[in-house]
Amino acid sequence: MEIKVEKGDLAQHPAKAVIVNLFEGVTSPGGGTGAVDKALDGAISQLIAEGEIKGKKSELTLIHTLGKLPTPRVLVVGLGKQEGFNLDTVRDVTGTALRRLRRTGASTVATIVHGAGIAGLDPEACAQAIAEGAMMGLYRFDRLKKPDEDRKQIDTVTLVEFEESKLKALRRGAERGRILGQGTNHARDMANEPANQLTPTLMAERAQSLAKDAGIECQVLERAEMEKMGMGALLGVAAGSVQPPKLIVLRYRGGDARDTIGLLGKGITFDSGGISIKPAAGMEEMKGDMSGGAAVISALWVLGKLKAPVNVTAIIPATENMPSGSATKPGDVLRAMNGRTIEVINTDAEGRLVLADAICYARQEKLSPIIDVATLTGAMQIALGPGATGFMATDDALAEALVKAGEACGERMWRFPLIDEYRESLKSNVADIKNTGNRYGGAITAAKFLHFFAEDSSWVHIDMAPTDSFSKDKGAWVKGASGIPTRTLVNLLLSLSGKGK
Ligand code: BES
Ligand code: MN
Ligand code: ZN
């Protein structure tokens, strides 16, 4: 899909559909909506007067123009109340409106720049939010379905602006939003892919092709190299699978010599639980247990495309977690890369095992801060539900930066405490640590396990189990893999480099 910015009059645009908007409570529309209303001989204000159009958030009213305008249809989208209106609304109404118009078969759409009118938001930020909302809201994963002969598709979305002076900023914002939206969709593509179509080997191949596309270095380490490095925890998880594990390492150098940030992502391409096998109901969702790794790979792709002035190394331990005659068993002891031994109590607590070795590797590479992203615990999902992603941090400034980075793109990040006492429940009789502890506070014990390997590093652990996928279409979000926290990671890295906005 192409996203364009044009100077002109929305009412005269020849697109197959035109989107205008309305705040709740406005009775005589102005700006672009006003111009279209006039060209329609007051049809919009009449529908407002009759109470059909109220301007409630995401309310949609489709009007057929029957030759009065060059476009055959106008969609009026409600923006809700003016107080509380922000870029999240811009992103969401764009996604909702475009999905509605796609159903009409309109292949080209022109839109008002939501937020840049009476709301007075920064035009560049609005254009970015519209492009993100368009890319994300129109996303579909239908590669595995029989090709549909009347598959409807929007090919072009044009942002139309009357004022010449705003065009440059709008073009910058739209381009940036397109890249961020596309990056999110790359993460979604990987996570939606079934586990037989995205094995660790194929995930590594995707990482390689995305890296190549964005000018990033990609190295894939094989089992023999992991053995040489002593990654016994990662290899212990891989032991039950016939699919060879891959350690995907991406290096992007866009900044001047300073610390290189470490981005680590859980890459379990399927989590059956292993010998501690999961119940059948819902197990198919565990094809998405590599969402953290997918978001990390995609964030690097975005940073490369934006030519961001940052240095970052991504480490994604990719493997299946399967039961078999060669699988790790409860009670087995594994030795991580830093020499510490781990008693495996539950083979379903595999994410922390693969991340333990990734963290050791990041520390050896002197990466700082270390940011890991994982669908780590059901406990975090129970705690937060789909409205926020949880995280723990050893560094208050970093935690604050992460919350801000998420807020800026509509991905809420919520901090949880690292309660040191909970380390006690991870004491093992036979090893340095065991991989599960108390059931209560399970997300925090999991984080304490990782903390044992992060030691004194400046470190953040993001547990995205609550938000890795959604059950319905809503605004810029669609059913299935969310692509969270790709954009948050990009924002965070830009802010750490001092070039954020
Ligand atoms: N991948 C799961 C966590 C998960 C659950 C992610 C639901 C997304 C949705 C993880 O590997 C896991 O199985 N965790 C266990 C840990 C337990 C055995 C201590 C869990 O949370 O039940
Ligand atoms: Mn598991
Ligand atoms: Zn898992």
Side-chain angles (χ1 to χ4, degrees):
M1 186 181 58
E2 201 185 348
I3 299 176
K4 297 200 276 197
V5 173
E6 277 174 16
K7 178 181 153 59
D9 176 3
L10 197 57
Q12 295 313 317
H13 205 282
K16 295 290 180 202
V18 162
I19 302 174
V20 295
N21 63 28
L22 194 77
F23 276 112
E24 199 173 329
V26 171
T27 49
S28 72
T33 308
V36 169
D37 184 37
K38 247 184 229 109
L40 284 171
D41 300 327
I44 297 175
S45 22
Q46 199 180 322
L47 288 166
I48 298 170
E50 283 171 7
E52 181 171 337
I53 299 182
K54 293 201 164 66
K56 289 205 180 296
K57 190 146 132 193
S58 295
E59 169 199 82
L60 299 175
T61 312
L62 188 63
I63 300 171
H64 292 103
T65 62
L66 305 174
K68 281 189 182 155
L69 261 65
T71 184
R73 49 183 82 78
V74 168
L75 184 67
V76 186
V77 57
L79 299 179
K81 296 207 169 70
Q82 214 169 319
E83 57 272 15
F85 173 82
N86 58 24
L87 292 172
D88 294 345
T89 314
V90 174
R91 224 175 277 115
D92 284 339
V93 298
T94 303
T96 304
L98 288 175
R99 270 196 305 278
R100 174 70 189 88
L101 288 175
R102 182 170 59 192
R103 285 200 275 127
T104 69
S107 56
T108 56
V109 176
T111 182
I112 195 166
V113 185
H114 309 294
I118 48 170
L121 300 183
D122 172 46
E124 182 171 343
C126 292
Q128 181 182 329
I130 291 170
E132 287 177 20
M135 296 299 296
M136 291 168 61
L138 289 172
Y139 172 85
R140 284 181 287 199
F141 183 77
D142 53 8
R143 169 180 102 71
L144 300 170
K145 293 187 174 177
K146 172 166 159 279
D148 177 357
E149 267 145 46
D150 21 75
R151 185 180 190 270
K152 294 171 175 135
Q153 172 178 314
I154 294 177
D155 299 320
T156 316
V157 174
T158 308
L159 281 65
V160 181
E161 170 57 50
F162 203 72
E163 278 178 54
E164 174 86 43
S165 62
K166 288 187 186 166
L167 294 178
K168 227 173 133 188
L170 291 178
R171 289 210 171 94
R172 258 198 318 265
E175 174 59 7
R176 190 185 169 92
R178 192 185 58 76
I179 293 170
L180 281 152
Q182 204 175 330
T184 301
N185 292 346
H186 286 319
R188 290 168 163 182
D189 273 340
M190 284 185 261
N192 281 327
E193 206 69 81
N196 64 337
Q197 308 279 326
L198 196 91
T199 59
T201 304
L202 292 168
M203 188 174 180
E205 278 175 20
R206 286 224 188 176
Q208 263 160 336
S209 77
L210 286 172
K212 192 169 172 215
D213 182 51
I216 293 170
E217 183 194 324
C218 179
Q219 182 190 7
V220 179
L221 304 182
E222 306 293 331
R223 193 195 300 269
E225 287 146 300
M226 297 175 217
E227 277 164 3
K228 223 179 287 158
M229 289 196 290
M231 297 185 153
L234 168 53
L235 290 167
V237 174
S241 174
V242 296
Q243 293 293 338
K246 303 281 162 172
L247 185 71
I248 304 166
V249 183
L250 301 165
R251 294 187 178 87
Y252 171 67
R253 300 287 174 270
D256 35 33
R258 258 211 308 154
D259 278 354
T260 300
I261 298 165
L263 268 188
L264 283 44
K266 175 176 173 181
I268 300 295
T269 60
F270 188 71
D271 181 13
S272 70
I275 296 296
S276 316
I277 199 161
K278 287 180 181 293
M283 200 201 274
E284 71 283 357
E285 283 169 26
M286 287 300 117
K287 69 175 184 174
D289 211 18
M290 29 53 69
S291 303
V296 163
I297 293 167
S298 303
L300 261 80
W301 179 87
V302 172
L303 291 165
K305 285 283 178 188
L306 293 177
K307 300 201 175 3
V310 300
N311 293 337
V312 53
T313 295
I315 304 169
I316 299 99
T319 175
E320 290 184 334
N321 182 27
M322 295 292 279
S324 81
S326 59
T328 291
K329 303 166 289 296
D332 285 1
V333 173
L334 306 173
R335 188 181 296 275
M337 185 179 168
N338 67 350
R340 298 281 82 82
T341 54
I342 305 164
E343 183 186 8
V344 177
I345 300 299
N346 189 321
T347 64
D348 197 11
E350 85 297 341
R352 61 197 78 178
L353 296 174
V354 302
L355 285 172
D357 276 333
I359 290 171
C360 292
Y361 187 41
R363 281 176 57 80
Q364 184 188 288
E365 297 268 298
K366 302 246 174 325
L367 305 179
S368 180
I370 294 173
I371 302 159
D372 78 70
V373 191
T375 45
L376 205 66
T377 66
M380 186 61 94
Q381 190 180 25
I382 300 286
L384 284 175
T389 305
F391 76 91
M392 288 80 169
T394 57
D395 179 322
D396 292 343
L398 192 53
E400 209 177 298
L402 178 58
V403 170
K404 281 210 183 105
E407 237 163 49
C409 63
E411 298 179 346
R412 185 188 282 124
M413 308 296 298
W414 195 262
R415 189 177 185 181
F416 278 68
L418 280 165
I419 300 174
D420 289 329
E421 260 169 66
Y422 295 4
R423 167 68 179 89
E424 271 155 47
S425 72
L426 293 172
K427 281 197 171 139
S428 163
N429 279 338
V430 299
D432 297 325
I433 194 165
K434 57 182 185 175
N435 80 330
T436 59
N438 284 338
R439 191 160 104 83
Y440 298 112
I444 301 175
T445 9
K448 285 304 295 175
F449 179 90
L450 296 178
H451 196 180
F452 175 71
F453 292 91
E455 298 183 50
D456 59 355
S457 294
S458 169
W459 164 68
V460 186
H461 157 60
I462 300 175
D463 189 340
M464 55 172 295
T467 54
D468 71 329
S469 72
F470 295 130
S471 58
K472 57 173 196 284
D473 292 352
K474 194 176 178 224
W477 305 106
V478 292
K479 188 172 171 165
S482 68
I484 288 174
T486 305
R487 290 173 304 135
T488 297
L489 293 173
V490 171
N491 285 347
L492 177 65
L493 265 64
L494 290 172
S495 80
L496 293 179
S497 80
K499 301 275 161 53
K501 43 174 289 154

